[in-house]
Amino acid sequence: MADATKYVPIGGGNVVTDLKSLFSILKSRRTVAFAYAFMLIFVLFTVVLAFSPSPNASSPWFSSSTTTTPESYKSQLSSIFSFFFPNTTSPSPVHQTNTSRSSSSNATSQSFNPNTTTLQNQTQTSLNSSHESTNQTLISNTSSKASSFEVKSPPLVAEASSSVKNSTTHEDKAIGNTNQTSNVSVASPHHNLSSNSSVKGVVVSNDNYTASLARKQINGNKNHEREKDEWMESLMKCDFFDGEWVKDDSYPLYEPGSCTLIDEQFNCIRNGRPDKNYQKYKWKPKGCNLPRLDGHRMLDLLRGKRLVFVGDSLNRNMWESLICILRNAVKDKSKVYEANGRVHFRGEASYSFIFKDYNFSVELFVSPFLVQEWEIPDKNGKKKETLRLDLVGRSSAQYKDADVIVFNTGHWWTHDKTSKGKDYYQEGSHVYDELNVLEAFRRAITTWSRWVDTNINPSKSMVLFRGYSASHFSGGQWNSGGQCDNETEPIDNEKYLTEYPPKMRVLEKVLKNMKTHVTYLNITRMTDFRKDGHPSIYRKEKLSPEERRSPLRFQDCSHWCLPGVPDTWNEILYAELLMREYRNQHHQKRA
């Protein structure tokens, strides 16, 4: 057989003869043994490579024994292929992970550990550390030495990441009526380089990565600022007072019974009112979303300032509401106190609550008419009460420099003496025998407006006037058996609302002619819906003997239970403060 093979002609011969010769060679024992040995060595070498990865990540086979995804399997095959054929471009597609701002469960966040050169894709849906998968891409060169990515860990990465705050405020929640967080998503270098896995010896520079991080952070901040700007612009164009009351179980703004500062007159729950649905409404303007009052944010806006309420007992209603809301946001309640240690807020000319940690005070000056109540001797030598339409309240010098001032008047102009106007109104030394109440109101408000224009510095002080709060006496007035104790739901049809008060039309005309800008909080219509929100018979915890005999004769259908309707007035005040800050910031930028 050897001779036959030896003498086979070159380039010729029979095909059958050639095949026989080939099989004869393969049947040689030495040849078979050599083949088996080569295969065994190859298998052993392969096993060693597979289960003994190099610590420098040069092994392309398994950098982790817990690879679970099809994408990571493809990545490993690609790495193996490039290991044995270093000069061949990997044909497999590179899996890229996209970052998303949405809260979808499929969203993927990417991270970069500055203490290692390992590049990781961490899927947000598998936050459990036992399910983390690490995709490592090795790029080797043609030499026997494996070449890997050289990633320089920038020293600013940790600082930049920590400077991106995850701060959700109620302003953010109001933007688009969703909970939005001012996060800036930052992609890892792996995301930027994965599409270049066929490139050899790529070095990621510190400058490029830092610049990319900064760009993404700036873009994220710009997007959030643009959304906030759009929301603030919508607020400034919105009519807050054209809207409706909607049920919202997230209200009230503070837990009923949690505020010990509420006067008995407004503390309906403690006084035994059984229903609580009146606390579960919020005001929804037609053209925008009012921000929910954030006590922490409002305290920051008012840090180092004085907020003053001037007016009648309805402003006291609003003042107590705001104290409870802001106090609820303070951790140490002992640092919120009345300046003179008072715990009851009727009978004195003024009160002041101090928020010590914020160097802030919220104050009340009692002035039911905004002009002075006066006394003169009558013909019999006795004192006669009059109302000086030409003099502002006596306490005006004490609050003229305050940062925010909220004025009101209205209800006392409906009482018998003022509404009749006989021998009561005075200007100078002259007492009018009779003067129409609407004309008297106009003169009083004109006196007030002139004082504001003369004494208030509009660049320092923000001036607001809260309009008339509707009453809901049925079957009489406050002193003649008027009732509202059976009302447990708001009015749901506008045709049952009362006519807009003529006094408020007079007020609007006066405000338009003022030099000083005054923000008019026109709450009349919004309060007219809320016949359910008054204390009614729950205005006192302990009734007098006369009140026990006929409790329904003594009802309060003018003031409001707390928590309740006045909380919404303070939410509008909060929105006005936010808009003022926004305008000031934009003026500073232009300057």
Side-chain angles (χ1 to χ4, degrees), residues 446-464:
T446 301
T447 297
W448 165 83
S449 69
R450 289 171 181 165
W451 177 88
V452 170
D453 283 340
T454 303
N455 294 274
I456 298 294
N457 179 1
S459 63
K460 179 186 186 297
S461 301
M462 178 181 182
V463 183
L464 305 97

Side-chain angles (χ1 to χ4, degrees), residues 399-542:
Y399 57 74
K400 68 178 183 178
D401 295 324
D403 300 279
V404 182
I405 312 174
V406 183
F407 292 96
N408 99 293
T409 188
H411 278 262
W412 282 50
W413 294 89
T414 64
H415 295 178
D416 285 345
K417 190 179 295 186
T418 49
S419 60
K420 291 179 180 177
K422 292 184 178 181
D423 202 27
Y424 180 61
Y425 296 119
Q426 178 179 353
E427 287 183 313
S429 59
H430 177 68
V431 178
Y432 292 92
D433 292 334
E434 186 174 354
L435 184 65
N436 178 272
V437 63
L438 206 57
E439 175 60 21
F441 181 81
R442 187 193 65 78
R443 295 187 186 193
I445 291 298
T446 301
T447 297
W448 165 83
S449 69
R450 289 171 181 165
W451 177 88
V452 170
D453 283 340
T454 303
N455 294 274
I456 298 294
N457 179 1
S459 63
K460 179 186 186 297
S461 301
M462 178 181 182
V463 183
L464 305 97
F465 198 108
R466 183 185 57 75
Y468 186 81
S469 169
S471 298
H472 295 92
F473 291 100
S474 176
Q477 288 302 313
W478 65 277
N479 58 350
S480 58
Q483 301 178 8
C484 58
D485 59 298
N486 290 323
E487 305 294 352
T488 57
E489 296 289 335
I491 295 173
D492 58 2
N493 193 327
E494 293 187 15
K495 72 179 183 179
Y496 297 116
L497 300 181
T498 57
E499 183 184 355
Y500 188 62
K503 294 184 185 69
M504 294 300 101
R505 297 194 187 279
V506 171
L507 171 68
E508 290 181 13
K509 290 180 181 179
V510 172
L511 293 180
K512 288 178 181 178
N513 292 323
M514 291 179 65
K515 293 187 299 183
T516 305
H517 173 74
V518 177
T519 301
Y520 178 36
L521 304 181
N522 188 1
I523 58 146
T524 302
R525 182 176 175 275
M526 68 170 0
T527 55
D528 204 359
F529 284 102
R530 295 304 306 274
K531 59 185 175 64
D532 60 318
H534 300 290
S536 65
I537 60 174
Y538 305 103
R539 62 189 182 88
K540 292 178 68 175
E541 189 174 16
K542 297 178 181 179

Side-chain angles (χ1 to χ4, degrees), residues 38-82:
F38 177 81
M39 292 175 62
L40 180 60
I41 292 170
F42 179 80
V43 169
L44 289 175
F45 179 73
T46 303
V47 170
V48 170
L49 288 177
F51 294 97
S52 300
S54 172
N56 65 357
S58 63
S59 172
W61 288 57
F62 294 94
S63 60
S64 173
S65 60
T66 58
T67 305
T68 58
T69 63
E71 289 80 9
S72 62
Y73 176 69
K74 293 178 182 179
S75 175
Q76 290 171 0
L77 289 180
S78 174
S79 301
I80 295 171
F81 188 82
S82 62

Side-chain angles (χ1 to χ4, degrees), residues 100-299:
S100 174
R101 290 174 63 88
S102 70
S103 58
S104 169
S105 60
N106 295 326
T108 304
S109 65
Q110 300 178 338
S111 62
F112 176 70
N113 186 349
N115 298 321
T116 179
T117 58
T118 304
L119 304 177
Q120 298 176 331
N121 285 342
Q122 297 179 339
T123 305
Q124 197 173 24
T125 53
S126 57
L127 295 177
N128 192 319
S129 59
S130 64
H131 292 87
E132 293 179 356
S133 64
T134 305
N135 297 335
Q136 296 184 339
T137 304
L138 175 72
I139 302 177
S140 60
N141 58 14
T142 55
S143 65
S144 58
K145 296 181 180 180
S147 171
S148 63
F149 286 114
E150 180 185 351
V151 180
K152 296 182 180 179
S153 176
L156 296 177
V157 171
E159 297 176 13
S161 299
S162 64
S163 68
V164 181
K165 296 182 180 179
N166 181 16
S167 58
T168 305
T169 68
H170 290 289
E171 293 170 59
D172 298 324
K173 292 179 181 179
I175 299 173
N177 202 24
T178 59
N179 296 333
Q180 295 193 6
T181 307
S182 58
N183 289 334
V184 179
S185 300
V186 180
S188 69
H190 191 161
H191 176 78
N192 296 331
L193 297 173
S194 59
S195 61
N196 297 326
S197 60
S198 62
V199 181
K200 297 175 291 181
V202 176
V203 177
V204 180
S205 71
N206 185 8
D207 293 340
N208 288 342
Y209 177 67
T210 305
S212 175
L213 176 67
R215 281 195 301 270
K216 291 180 181 294
Q217 182 172 348
I218 291 171
N219 290 337
N221 289 339
K222 284 183 177 179
N223 289 337
H224 180 71
E225 286 300 317
R226 184 172 63 252
E227 291 172 352
K228 184 177 179 180
D229 287 347
E230 291 173 354
W231 174 64
M232 292 303 299
E233 293 293 336
S234 73
L235 282 184
M236 289 191 288
K237 296 175 183 176
C238 184
D239 180 359
F240 292 159
F241 309 101
D242 182 17
E244 61 182 348
W245 292 95
V246 295
K247 203 75 176 287
D248 189 332
D249 288 334
S250 69
Y251 280 74
L253 296 172
Y254 49 97
E255 191 67 26
S258 66
C259 186
T260 58
L261 305 174
I262 299 176
D263 260 344
E264 180 185 38
Q265 183 182 9
F266 311 139
N267 205 337
C268 303
I269 297 299
R270 190 180 67 183
N271 295 341
R273 180 167 178 169
D275 64 301
K276 296 178 176 62
N277 283 340
Y278 69 92
Q279 302 172 348
K280 298 292 184 180
Y281 287 92
K282 74 172 182 179
W283 179 251
K284 174 66 177 67
K286 294 178 180 178
C288 62
N289 291 315
L290 272 177
R292 183 184 176 96
L293 198 160
D294 182 342
H296 298 284
R297 181 79 174 95
M298 191 168 184
L299 283 168

